[in-house]
Amino acid sequence: MSDQPSTSAVNRPSTPAQAWAELQAGNERFISGSPLHPNQSVEHRGELASGQKPFATFFGCSDSRVAAEVIFDQGLGDLFVVRTAGHVLGPTALGSLEFGASVLEIPLIVVLGHDSCGAVKAAMAAMESGEMPSGYLRDLVERVTPSVVASYRRGEERADAVEAEHVRQTVGLIQERSRALAERIDAGQMTIVGLTYALSEGRAGLVNHIGDIGQ
Ligand SMILES: [Zn+2]
């Protein structure tokens, strides 16, 4: 029916370092234009109906150009994905991350920011003009602003520096806010990795990490 490769449950990454290695390999395939498009066959879809065992949780920006399964060359059942504009954290996003760790026993959380991020741009514009957007857009900007402030205080006012700082702050906030996740990190069961994705090149570069990534 299909020659698409399928990752069996036996080969599933089960440690943070294995999960990180698999994601790096997938991103390299995507960058070089040789994706395998794994786990997208009709057979695999049927097998998954009885349960899921994703190996990485993503908390990324909603930007349409930053789709985790595509960028990391993964398929159905591989990634547990939570997205908000500017990857701003709130109680329900944290609850989803805790679900991935506690219920699905996923060993890795990836925070995925990117260049030319509209949410970061909006927060930088609000900082410079002193004018906040209306409606719930204000909530987004308010949650990115601490990252803008931290970056500006260091004299780093370029958008890419602010984007990296926002990833770093989001990684730190997840650990700080969620006791359940912090305990898993302390026990060596889980790692949080922060990445920024370059839209044109396709590369997801490491910003920071809390916990072991095996390198
Ligand atoms: Zn964005």
Side-chain angles (χ1 to χ4, degrees):
M1 180 77 211
S2 168
D3 58 3
Q4 287 176 334
S6 173
T7 309
S8 75
V10 180
N11 298 325
R12 216 109 190 97
S14 59
T15 67
Q18 287 169 2
W20 172 234
E22 173 55 36
L23 291 177
Q24 284 181 291
N27 186 225
E28 288 298 336
R29 294 195 296 271
F30 172 70
I31 292 164
S32 65
S34 50
L36 296 172
H37 303 299
N39 296 334
Q40 293 169 35
S41 68
V42 172
E43 290 89 340
H44 185 71
R45 187 179 72 205
E47 285 162 17
L48 279 176
S50 58
Q52 61 166 331
K53 190 78 181 125
F55 69 87
T57 296
F58 272 78
F59 181 50
C61 181
S62 300
D63 192 296
S64 61
R65 301 163 292 184
V66 190
E69 282 93 344
V70 176
I71 292 168
F72 294 90
D73 192 26
Q74 302 297 321
L76 294 174
D78 292 329
L79 309 179
F80 187 72
V81 180
V82 184
R83 294 170 74 174
T84 61
H87 52 84
V88 300
L89 267 181
T92 51
L94 281 163
S96 297
L97 300 181
E98 289 189 354
F99 182 89
S102 305
V103 179
L104 300 174
E105 299 184 328
I106 299 171
L108 183 69
I109 292 177
V110 176
V111 173
L112 185 61
H114 65 101
D115 55 2
S116 304
C117 181
V120 169
K121 272 187 202 156
M124 290 173 71
M127 173 76 87
E128 281 153 25
S129 68
E131 285 173 26
M132 293 295 277
S134 59
Y136 284 101
L137 282 177
R138 181 180 179 124
D139 287 68
L140 286 181
V141 164
E142 283 175 349
R143 290 175 198 217
V144 179
T145 296
S147 304
V148 181
V149 171
S151 191
Y152 281 23
R153 284 226 172 125
R154 282 202 308 272
E156 295 176 353
E157 300 189 1
R158 294 187 334 273
D160 58 348
V162 177
E163 282 147 7
E165 177 60 27
H166 187 48
V167 166
R168 215 174 287 121
Q169 296 244 350
T170 305
V171 168
L173 263 183
I174 292 170
Q175 184 197 31
E176 190 184 306
R177 293 277 166 86
S178 169
R179 189 168 153 191
L181 296 176
E183 283 173 356
R184 291 182 92 83
I185 295 168
D186 290 346
Q189 297 167 326
M190 207 190 75
T191 289
I192 309 179
V193 165
L195 309 177
T196 52
Y197 173 71
L199 292 176
S200 174
E201 189 194 359
R203 185 173 299 282
L206 183 64
V207 175
N208 68 329
H209 62 95
I210 303 175
D212 177 49
I213 54 171
Q215 23 181 263

